[in-house]
Amino acid sequence: MKKWKLSAVCALLVMGVLLAACSSNSNNTPSNTEPGSTSSTQPKSTDDSQATEKPKEKQNISVTVYDRGNVPKTEGTVEENRWTKWINENGPHNVKFVAVPRWESREKLNVLFASSSAPDVIFEVAPHIKNPIYEQKQMMPIDGLIESSSTEYKKLLEEYPVLKKVGLKADGKLYEFARLNEVAPIHTLLIRQDWLEKLNLKVPATTEELYEVAKAFAEQDPDDNGQKDTYGIALSFQSGFVIDQIFQATRWVVEDGKLTRNWENFKEMSEFKKKLFEEGIVDRDYLNDNNGAKAKQDFINGKLGIYPLQINWISFVNNELASLKKNDPNAKVVPIAYPESPAGKFNPAFTNPVQATAFVNAQAKHPEAVMDYIDFLVKPETARTLKYGNEGEHWNLNANGCPQSADMEKSKNEVSWSIDLQMMTSFLPDDKCGKIEVDFDPASNPIHAEGLEMYKAAQQIYLDTSKPYVEITHPEHMPQLPKDLDLISSNLTKPIDDIWVKAVVGGKGYTPEQAMKDAMDTWNKGDGKKVEDWFENWYKNDSANAFLAKDIYDVLKQQMGK
């Protein structure tokens, strides 16, 4: 196992907000304990004999779990399925799981805390959701709890001090548990290469060429069925966000050494989307596809030529790609670089190298039981089971000594959706089996062979430190505004977002130029300048100690051995 040197770790000063989705991958070095055991139940050494402590009494605790709607009906619900049952059978305490809709977690958590019914442990990655909870003193400090009750997480903290930096709050106390991730592209732009070849088109290198290819995919019958029933490109949900990134339509950009609010790039992005919408190149009902399910189905059914998405690579290969190939064995999908836009050419977003994932409710009745549960999740053997399933049933060790699926269909149906139970799993420390690449089984699975080729191509294309990172940092490391300014920013977000949507779907009578003017007027009238001044001052005075794009690239270079 590699250790980060202290000098490298200290460079990661995290400010604490994809979804990639979001994204995740493997285990620590195995310990000597089995799933379900805790340090307090292990034999305790004496001078001349072994004395076994009485097992702890199981307590009742409650924890949240993201609900993505991806648990098969045959497997139960996100709150009760084979893996939540496994946790309760093998873990140290009785756990009640509380579902939180993945993309509506802020609203759900607000209701739970307002009604004093929030669970004991909250699994959440977004700082803009967590920080108000901290400010309302609804988080429990965990420094003492870790010191007095933890074994596994305490050991991980000692080995990787950067985990503590992520969880520290303004009062200097530790409030959040965190994990380490492999740096991998979490957004991608996929294209039907077989359609490019059929229509004698080249891979688009600019956004104008991207428009031309999407138009051809929508109008020139690339599936050869004699009907005009294909879409050029997806715009709904995360697909639209990837298009935003191509144009660097991000709220904050650095210009002339200053951090400033971004307007011009949003105008360029809106002009591009408006042209696609008005010419029928995209699904005109894309706004109602608010979770991307329709776009995913269009891709699977062979009706979508360009698919921008937030991606979990193994899940995508096991599900979307496998289903597409079942429907059309000749389909060929490849990742392509973000085309050059008027703003430039960028890398997409990456997984967060150091991610805070959980905190304890200040009202938790059994904090020691909570710590036992966190330690149980951190154990490599627990993480391995939740990720791969049961040895001999779902996986066997391959020639490299890493888990490999024994039955892809069984793993897809019974294991692939368990990712949100793995939010305490650190993937980076395991050099042998902790990388996304080792989860592919190319020797015995043709879909995995194709998926691995796709993933390696994406790494080559996107993990390119010569191109700028699209954001100033990973969203989860953006600085947290003071409460009054955060309220101003929050109140302005939706009205301005709605203006840009109107610029796309509002017809010829409402132009992106007018939208930019209206967005800027809304910002200024709503005291947005105060927010802008705060960010400018933060960047001038504090960014040197912040975890920015450069630090992500430093971790990436270390990971790649450069």
Side-chain angles (χ1 to χ4, degrees):
M1 178 185 294
K2 282 185 182 177
K3 288 188 179 181
W4 287 359
K5 293 183 179 179
L6 183 61
S7 59
V9 169
C10 290
L12 306 177
L13 293 178
V14 181
M15 305 167 285
V17 157
L18 236 186
L19 28 0
C22 346
S23 296
S24 49
N25 277 306
S26 198
N27 316 316
N28 246 335
T29 304
S31 70
N32 294 323
T33 57
E34 293 297 320
S37 64
T38 65
S39 59
S40 62
T41 64
Q42 298 303 305
K44 185 178 180 180
S45 297
T46 63
D47 289 340
D48 302 304
S49 64
Q50 296 290 325
T52 303
E53 292 183 2
K54 183 179 178 180
K56 287 184 180 180
E57 178 184 354
K58 279 199 168 189
Q59 303 290 347
N60 296 321
I61 62 173
S62 55
V63 307
T64 66
V65 59
Y66 282 146
D67 185 357
R68 301 175 189 266
N70 62 345
V71 178
K73 290 182 180 179
T74 55
E75 291 293 305
T77 66
V78 71
E79 302 101 320
E80 189 171 354
N81 53 66
R82 74 173 61 228
W83 301 117
T84 58
K85 292 176 183 176
W86 181 89
I87 287 172
N88 277 309
E89 289 168 0
N90 294 274
H93 298 287
N94 303 315
V95 182
K96 176 185 176 183
F97 291 90
V98 178
V100 173
R102 175 63 185 95
W103 306 110
E104 300 170 17
S105 57
R106 185 174 197 166
E107 294 81 357
K108 178 70 173 180
L109 291 177
N110 284 344
V111 170
L112 289 171
F113 276 101
S115 61
S116 299
S117 58
D120 299 310
V121 187
I122 310 297
F123 284 93
E124 175 58 56
V125 298
H128 74 282
I129 296 174
K130 294 183 288 187
N131 284 320
I133 296 173
Y134 160 73
E135 291 172 356
Q136 294 160 11
K137 301 187 183 305
Q138 292 173 319
M139 280 187 185
M140 179 182 292
I142 56 177
D143 311 72
L145 185 63
I146 293 171
E147 183 61 32
S148 64
S149 302
S150 177
T151 54
E152 302 295 327
Y153 192 74
K154 183 179 180 180
K155 185 166 54 179
L156 197 64
L157 270 181
E158 291 169 353
E159 192 166 0
Y160 298 98
V162 68
L163 291 168
K164 184 171 184 178
K165 294 180 183 296
V166 173
L168 288 172
K169 294 295 185 184
D171 63 1
K173 296 178 182 178
L174 185 65
Y175 286 86
E176 295 188 70
F177 298 106
R179 67 177 179 183
L180 300 159
N181 296 315
E182 177 187 6
V183 182
I186 199 171
H187 290 115
T188 186
L189 188 64
L190 302 180
I191 196 165
R192 287 287 299 269
Q193 183 176 331
D194 54 318
W195 287 11
L196 285 174
E197 293 169 357
K198 181 180 184 300
L199 301 179
N200 197 27
L201 298 169
K202 65 179 182 178
V203 172
T206 66
T207 48
E208 183 58 34
E209 290 177 0
L210 185 66
Y211 157 75
E212 295 291 349
V213 169
K215 184 177 179 67
F217 284 170
E219 297 178 351
Q220 296 183 26
D221 192 24
D223 60 350
D224 206 24
N225 68 350
Q227 300 179 42
K228 190 175 182 295
D229 60 352
T230 54
Y231 298 117
I233 191 170
L235 282 189
S236 60
F237 193 49
Q238 291 289 333
S239 293
F241 184 69
V242 172
I243 299 298
D244 294 350
Q245 287 190 331
I246 290 172
F247 285 84
Q248 205 190 23
T250 58
R251 290 191 177 96
W252 302 99
V253 292
V254 178
E255 293 181 354
D256 300 325
K258 288 186 176 181
L259 190 64
T260 183
R261 190 65 162 83
N262 184 7
W263 302 109
E264 184 66 30
N265 293 355
F266 278 85
K267 180 177 76 72
E268 299 281 359
M269 170 271 293
S270 298
E271 288 174 348
F272 180 78
K273 289 183 179 179
K274 189 179 188 73
K275 187 159 56 170
L276 295 173
F277 180 80
E278 291 189 342
E279 295 183 20
I281 296 171
V282 299
D283 183 355
R284 291 179 64 85
D285 197 34
Y286 80 92
L287 290 175
N288 289 324
D289 184 21
N290 53 19
N291 63 1
K294 170 67 163 51
K296 180 189 293 186
Q297 203 58 46
D298 287 336
F299 173 80
I300 289 171
N301 291 335
K303 299 301 177 184
L304 183 61
I306 304 170
Y307 191 18
L309 77 160
Q310 179 170 305
I311 190 167
N312 176 294
W313 290 93
I314 293 294
S315 177
F316 172 82
V317 170
N318 288 340
N319 295 281
E320 290 95 318
L321 184 62
S323 298
L324 171 66
K325 297 290 285 188
K326 184 176 180 180
N327 291 330
D328 182 359
N330 296 318
K332 177 65 175 176
V333 181
V334 297
I336 64 172
Y338 278 12
E340 186 173 4
S341 72
K345 195 167 186 176
F346 303 94
N347 281 325
F350 299 155
T351 50
N352 184 359
V354 189
Q355 184 179 44
T357 58
F359 65 89
V360 183
N361 185 345
Q363 302 305 314
K365 294 181 179 179
H366 304 291
E368 292 83 6
V370 167
M371 192 68 251
D372 291 341
Y373 179 63
I374 294 295
D375 274 355
F376 172 71
L377 293 180
V378 168
K379 288 181 179 179
E381 53 268 36
T382 302
R384 176 170 288 195
T385 298
L386 292 176
K387 182 179 180 184
Y388 297 105
N390 296 318
E391 185 175 10
E393 179 184 2
H394 298 104
W395 61 272
N396 296 304
L397 291 178
N398 62 17
N400 296 320
C402 296
Q404 199 158 75
S405 176
D407 184 329
M408 289 304 304
E409 192 65 22
K410 188 175 181 66
S411 292
K412 173 183 173 181
N413 294 331
E414 299 181 0
V415 186
S416 65
W417 41 266
S418 67
I419 185 172
D420 292 312
L421 296 173
Q422 304 169 41
M423 289 179 67
M424 284 309 306
T425 301
S426 283
F427 306 109
L428 191 60
D430 188 352
D431 280 340
K432 180 180 179 183
C433 302
K435 302 296 188 288
I436 293 172
E437 185 174 326
V438 303
D439 293 334
F440 289 93
D441 181 15
S444 60
N445 189 314
I447 291 296
H448 270 221
E450 188 169 338
L452 180 57
E453 181 182 349
M454 183 186 301
Y455 176 63
K456 286 184 175 180
Q459 286 184 304
Q460 185 70 27
I461 293 167
Y462 298 134
L463 302 184
D464 180 0
T465 56
S466 69
K467 288 189 292 190
Y469 193 65
V470 67
E471 304 267 6
I472 66 167
T473 186
H474 189 283
E476 292 171 20
H477 294 303
M478 284 294 289
Q480 179 61 29
L481 287 162
K483 188 174 182 179
D484 58 334
L485 297 183
D486 186 55
L487 181 61
I488 292 173
S489 180
S490 297
N491 288 340
L492 289 171
T493 297
K494 189 176 187 305
I496 291 177
D497 286 348
D498 288 346
I499 288 171
W500 294 119
V501 170
K502 183 180 176 183
V504 175
V505 303
K508 299 191 186 315
Y510 194 72
T511 65
E513 288 81 1
Q514 183 62 47
M516 186 170 78
K517 180 180 182 303
D518 291 347
M520 294 176 72
D521 286 346
T522 300
W523 177 257
N524 292 326
K525 290 176 182 177
D527 283 336
K529 187 64 167 60
K530 293 180 179 178
V531 177
E532 199 166 346
D533 289 344
W534 187 91
F535 269 108
E536 183 178 335
N537 184 66
W538 166 81
Y539 189 77
K540 178 181 178 181
N541 296 310
D542 299 322
S543 63
N545 296 322
F547 188 80
L548 299 179
K550 177 185 178 298
D551 302 293
I552 296 175
Y553 277 11
D554 285 345
V555 176
L556 173 59
K557 290 174 182 177
Q558 184 181 21
Q559 176 182 299
M560 297 170 70
K562 293 184 177 180

